[in-house]
Amino acid sequence: MNFIPAKKLWWAVVCGCLTVQMLAVEVWVSPKGSDRDAGTREAPLATLPMALRKVRELRRVNAPEMSEGAKIILRGGIYALEEPVFIRPEDSGTEASPTSIVGAEGETPVLSGGVSVSGWSRIAKNDELAARLPEAARAHIWVTAVPQFNGRDFEFRQLWVNGHKAVRARTPNGSDMLRLTAWDKENREAGVPSSDLAGVANLDGVEMVLLQMWEIAVLRLKTLHAAGEGTRVTFHSPESRVQFEHPWPPPVINANGNSPFFFANAPEFLDSPGEWYLDRRAGKVYCWPREGEAMDTAQVVAPALETLVRIIGTAERPVRYVNFSGIEFAHTTWLRPSTHGQVPLQAGMFLIDAYRLNPKGTPDWRSLDNQGWVESPPAGIEVSFAQHLGFEQCRFTHMAASGVEFGAGVHDSRIVGGDFSEIGINGLQLGFFGTGALETHLPWAPQDERGIVTRARIANNRLTDTANEDWGGVAIAAGFVRETVIEHNHIEHTSYTGISVGWGWTRTPNAAQHNRIHANRIVRFATRLADTAGIYTLSAQPGTIISENVVEAPVMSPWVHDPNHWGYIYLDEGSSFITVRDNWTAAEKFIKNANGPGNDWRNNGPTVSQKIKDAAGIRPDYGNLKKSEGKR
């Protein structure tokens, strides 16, 4: 092998003897490098996968220079990924010889799943779509061909212009919404106002985004027909079946106001600055730029990958001692709503089947009125069966689904000092959520406990603008986890809940226990949905402690079904054996719904000491994140 790792020798005199300390092997990477080069600072590689291969080969042959570990140093710039970076058991380090992937000092490397969208020009009068655009918009619209990704045109649901998320063409505009006029389960039809679809020439790709109590649904329109003074619409499968059969959460039809919704993704809706539309069949994308945006010079990015990094081991051979520091992860997509719709149960976990029970009852829960099975959304970073893994002072942004997932079998791992912003569903997703075969109301207590997420530490992270695609997402969502510590995080501007711990809607003992939610600061939660809280729990969790957190008042949307249905702290169905103490909240507004035994509430509310209030949130030693609390 012609690769010679860069080594540094540190000479020191200790006790009159000359000693030699060998530092970690360094492998340098730069967007301007070449994978044929040596990987030194002077001749860097071009890609992270090749750097990992270099280090993997040194470990395979037990190279003596690896005794102090390996440091892969990424120079600043954009690393446009063609596939997820794959980190496997053979990439593992040891406690004495870890593998570290770090940003070069003072530089910002970005692992991006996006594709540049360029070549914009003003729309021609004879453009085949021009006639479908609103007349007032035609003079403002720019168009370009959809770029290729890995040899083919691709579809996307997000578009970033100069770092700002453009709005997928919708009606009504802004935060305004319409309301259902009817909901017909027998015929699987929804009633809507006639005027808003009257001018739509083709329903291909048109979606309804419907608010359903503590979640939303994304439903692809199939047909429409006049019905009395209104219009009835039907939806494509599979979401039509799931939407009309699942009992919870339902759309609201009552005298206080039917469920609100908006339509998206038709050229007829492209009627205001900041909106865009993808003509998938013609392979073109159209945009009305915001004031000050020049599309011919703008940096426009469309996401192409769902996942940027996959860290995958097995129960027998986990990935061990791999650390990331100073890296930005950006631009992921999520296409399931375009192909299957999206009907979630909670926290973005989407239903694959659900129906009402008649008669009620299961062996585990006699009064249960429904059953459901879910899958979980993808994440920009997906980890399973790993130990002693670390993400420190990394940034996660512009992601369509979730940010980071610690899935099955992740132990003794941490996410510390991270900056999460503009995340579509869950900022952080930890543990098992009963995905696939486990019915959602059952406890999960596996005989092989290696699959449980244990001793994760989530600390001193800032999470802002989460759950902006699926509004039911959570800034930090933890399912069946054990001995997990969530502390000193700052959470701001999330559509639903700040921190959610537990899963299963059951009082039966399960894998969740001895979790600690401590000294977090949560502000501006519940910006779009109700039936929520700053901190929320489900199911039995013996030994779990919620302590010394600060939860300020939510900012409730005028469209929620019940503006009073929220709490600062909310112990929901089956929550048992949980201690809630010394949490500062702006008022004593708590929810205890169908709880099990053993919960202990002590000293919570606005009279908690100023010292506790001041200590919550990001610690001062994370200076940049601490200073920017609340500034986004």
Side-chain angles (χ1 to χ4, degrees):
M1 186 168 68
N2 60 10
F3 169 63
I4 302 175
K7 293 188 294 184
K8 296 180 180 179
L9 298 180
W10 189 312
W11 299 88
V13 177
V14 180
C15 298
C17 299
L18 191 64
T19 62
V20 178
Q21 180 181 354
M22 185 180 294
L23 299 184
V25 166
E26 290 185 356
V27 181
W28 287 75
V29 187
S30 167
K32 299 178 182 179
S34 169
D35 279 349
R36 295 182 179 182
D37 282 341
T40 63
R41 182 170 189 157
E42 296 74 20
L45 302 171
T47 67
L48 175 55
M50 181 56 73
L52 287 163
R53 182 185 297 184
K54 298 285 190 183
V55 172
R56 188 184 313 132
E57 289 302 292
L58 288 172
R59 291 198 185 279
R60 182 178 63 83
V61 298
N62 295 316
E65 58 265 38
M66 291 292 291
S67 61
E68 298 295 323
K71 182 182 289 187
I72 297 173
I73 304 171
L74 303 184
R75 301 298 303 266
I78 304 294
Y79 295 83
L81 302 178
E82 297 174 346
E83 60 183 330
V85 175
F86 177 31
I87 297 177
R88 62 207 82 185
E90 289 77 10
D91 295 311
S92 295
T94 66
E95 184 174 9
S97 175
T99 295
S100 298
I101 302 166
V102 305
E105 186 174 356
E107 302 182 30
T108 304
V110 180
L111 298 184
S112 171
V115 175
S116 178
V117 183
S118 58
W120 294 87
S121 61
R122 292 189 177 274
I123 188 171
K125 292 182 179 180
N126 62 349
D127 187 281
E128 57 196 66
L129 200 69
R132 293 183 61 189
L133 294 170
E135 185 174 355
R138 294 171 193 168
H140 304 282
I141 301 300
W142 291 67
V143 61
T144 190
V146 174
Q148 296 245 312
F149 178 71
N150 290 348
R152 59 190 301 270
D153 293 341
F154 71 104
E155 186 176 359
F156 44 92
R157 296 176 61 87
Q158 296 79 33
L159 191 72
W160 300 92
V161 181
N162 292 336
H164 297 285
K165 190 177 187 179
V167 177
R168 202 160 173 246
R170 57 165 286 179
T171 191
N173 292 325
S175 59
D176 199 8
M177 301 181 81
L178 306 166
R179 290 193 183 273
L180 294 174
T181 60
W183 191 252
D184 185 343
K185 287 187 176 182
E186 182 177 352
N187 294 303
R188 296 185 179 178
E189 294 180 343
V192 300
S194 295
S195 58
D196 295 278
L197 288 173
V200 177
N202 189 330
L203 291 182
D204 183 30
V206 180
E207 297 171 357
M208 172 190 281
V209 180
L210 174 65
L211 194 153
Q212 303 195 123
M213 302 180 79
W214 63 85
E215 258 294 0
I216 65 166
V218 180
L219 308 167
R220 298 169 299 149
L221 269 60
K222 183 178 180 180
T223 66
L224 63 84
H225 64 271
E229 297 182 357
T231 295
R232 293 291 181 100
V233 296
T234 65
F235 308 107
H236 284 288
S237 295
E239 66 266 35
S240 179
R241 174 186 60 80
V242 176
Q243 173 65 19
F244 285 97
E245 289 186 352
H246 89 285
W248 300 101
V252 174
I253 304 292
N254 61 32
N256 295 325
N258 296 343
S259 272
F261 70 92
F262 63 88
F263 292 118
N265 199 41
E268 290 83 357
F269 305 154
L270 183 49
D271 60 358
S272 64
E275 290 192 331
W276 67 279
Y277 172 74
L278 171 65
D279 187 339
R280 183 170 47 88
R281 296 187 182 277
K284 295 180 180 180
V285 57
Y286 299 79
C287 184
W288 183 341
R290 298 179 179 91
E291 184 177 355
E293 289 177 343
M295 295 304 293
D296 50 349
T297 59
Q299 293 182 335
V300 184
V301 177
L305 292 180
E306 286 191 337
T307 299
L308 306 175
V309 178
R310 300 176 68 240
I311 303 172
I312 309 294
T314 68
E316 294 74 24
R317 298 185 65 245
V319 177
R320 304 175 76 240
Y321 292 101
V322 177
N323 302 306
F324 288 82
S325 177
I327 310 294
E328 180 174 319
F329 303 90
H331 304 128
T332 61
T333 189
W334 189 39
L335 292 180
R336 180 181 171 85
S338 294
T339 58
H340 293 75
Q342 164 79 344
V343 185
L345 174 62
Q346 188 165 304
M349 305 297 153
F350 56 89
L351 289 158
I352 54 176
D353 197 13
Y355 53 87
R356 190 172 294 280
L357 296 175
N358 186 20
K360 296 180 181 180
T362 68
D364 188 69
W365 192 349
R366 292 183 180 178
S367 61
L368 183 66
D369 70 350
N370 73 101
Q371 292 198 303
W373 294 261
V374 300
E375 293 283 357
S376 60
I381 314 295
E382 294 187 345
V383 185
S384 63
F385 291 102
Q387 299 176 6
H388 304 287
L389 191 78
F391 289 88
E392 298 188 1
Q393 296 181 320
C394 292
R395 188 179 183 209
F396 309 87
T397 187
H398 298 175
M399 294 184 173
S402 295
V404 178
E405 179 184 37
F406 277 5
V410 179
H411 308 294
D412 300 293
S413 295
R414 67 199 181 280
I415 303 173
V416 177
D419 187 357
F420 293 76
S421 64
E422 298 178 295
I423 308 293
I425 308 182
N426 300 316
L428 282 164
Q429 196 167 291
L430 312 169
F432 186 56
F433 286 88
T435 53
L438 184 71
E439 201 278 320
T440 55
H441 301 87
L442 293 177
W444 185 63
Q447 291 184 345
D448 186 350
E449 295 191 343
R450 292 177 297 177
I452 302 172
V453 170
T454 62
R455 297 179 298 281
R457 182 169 182 257
I458 311 300
N460 293 293
N461 301 285
R462 179 179 61 183
L463 299 103
T464 59
D465 192 11
T466 55
N468 58 29
E469 290 279 337
D470 183 331
W471 299 351
V474 178
I476 301 177
F480 292 106
V481 296
R482 179 176 294 178
E483 298 175 59
T484 287
V485 175
I486 301 171
E487 63 179 1
H488 286 287
N489 300 285
H490 179 89
I491 295 169
E492 183 167 1
H493 200 284
T494 191
S495 300
Y496 179 51
T497 290
I499 299 173
S500 176
V501 181
W503 196 251
W505 288 266
T506 173
R507 298 180 180 89
T508 304
N510 57 71
Q513 56 185 262
H514 294 100
N515 299 305
R516 183 170 180 256
I517 301 93
H518 177 74
N520 301 282
R521 184 178 298 274
I522 303 169
V523 300
R524 290 184 62 82
F525 70 95
T527 59
R528 292 184 173 101
L529 299 179
D531 196 359
T532 179
I535 300 173
Y536 171 96
T537 68
L538 274 174
S539 81
Q541 299 182 48
T544 289
I545 299 174
I546 302 171
S547 62
E548 300 185 18
N549 300 280
V550 166
V551 186
E552 298 186 7
V555 180
M556 299 297 291
S557 162
W559 297 102
V560 299
H561 72 290
D562 184 350
N564 294 312
H565 192 18
W566 63 270
Y568 292 99
I569 300 174
Y570 185 164
L571 270 54
D572 203 0
E573 297 193 36
S575 293
S576 310
F577 307 106
I578 299 171
T579 296
V580 185
R581 61 171 175 80
D582 302 319
N583 297 281
W584 185 93
T585 60
E588 292 187 18
K589 182 174 174 58
F590 308 116
I591 300 179
K592 308 169 187 178
N593 178 50
N595 288 178
N599 294 323
D600 182 7
W601 293 75
R602 283 179 278 162
N603 187 36
N604 302 286
T607 61
V608 169
S609 75
Q610 188 68 35
K611 182 179 179 181
I612 287 177
K613 185 178 180 182
D614 291 343
I618 298 169
R619 288 185 177 274
D621 44 336
Y622 290 85
N624 291 337
L625 291 175
K626 180 67 177 176
K627 289 178 183 178
S628 58
E629 279 184 346
K631 291 186 179 180
R632 284 189 183 272

